[in-house]
Amino acid sequence: MKRTDVVYLLIPDETRTKVLMVQNENEAWTLPGGAVEPGETLQIAAIREGKEETGLDVKVHGIVAVNEFVHIKNEEHVILLTFRAEITGGKPEITRPEEILDIAWVDVERADELMPYYPEGISSIVARGVEVTYFDEGRI
């Protein structure tokens, strides 16, 4: 069975009432993110995906959620890690129009509806502000 690691970025606005989301080519709204490429650390993948999907530079902090599922038909085990992140530069820009249709700040309550796979809800994760420390130990 193949394993795929996916990273997402939870980027709240200053008021913590909205989160940055992207509309994918299938028209579903998600947090910015995507698959970790071979040789990438989770942090590097998250920073790269943030830039590719939104045009923004981000700083990655701790992990706020871990989800997983096994796709029986595809024989794939998917691990999804959501990092809290903050914008450090860049400007919102769709650089991959074949993948991303829109970028928007979405109310956290609406984000809960759009992403029901976070059982406690995006709104709760943002309000709680708790994260698990992530530390990239580099290459040895």
Side-chain angles (χ1 to χ4, degrees), residues 18-23 29-30 54 92 102-107:
K18 296 177 188 258
V19 293
L20 191 65
M21 295 184 70
V22 295
Q23 186 180 31
W29 285 89
T30 66
T54 68
D102 199 5
I103 304 166
W105 289 101
V106 177
D107 289 327

Side-chain angles (χ1 to χ4, degrees), residues 7-115:
V7 291
Y8 285 110
L9 299 168
L10 177 64
I11 307 171
D13 70 351
E14 315 78 48
T15 65
R16 300 172 66 87
T17 60
K18 296 177 188 258
V19 293
L20 191 65
M21 295 184 70
V22 295
Q23 186 180 31
N24 295 289
E25 76 276 2
N26 63 0
E27 298 191 10
W29 285 89
T30 66
L31 298 175
V36 178
E37 295 178 357
E40 280 186 318
T41 64
L42 299 172
Q43 179 177 351
I44 295 299
I47 291 167
R48 175 186 53 76
E49 285 288 345
K51 185 69 168 181
E52 287 178 0
E53 293 200 352
T54 68
L56 298 167
D57 300 313
V58 298
K59 179 178 181 181
V60 175
H61 298 286
I63 296 171
V64 297
V66 177
N67 298 52
E68 71 178 318
F69 66 90
V70 175
H71 195 291
I72 304 288
K73 185 178 176 183
N74 291 353
E75 296 185 12
E76 182 177 27
H77 182 190
V78 182
I79 308 290
L80 306 111
L81 300 118
T82 304
F83 286 90
R84 183 177 64 82
E86 66 180 296
I87 297 168
T88 59
K91 62 179 179 134
E93 175 182 17
I94 296 173
T95 60
R96 295 182 167 207
E98 68 283 356
E99 293 178 24
I100 302 299
L101 303 177
D102 199 5
I103 304 166
W105 289 101
V106 177
D107 289 327
V108 291
E109 292 82 12
R110 179 71 177 132
D112 289 343
E113 296 169 12
L114 293 168
M115 295 182 299

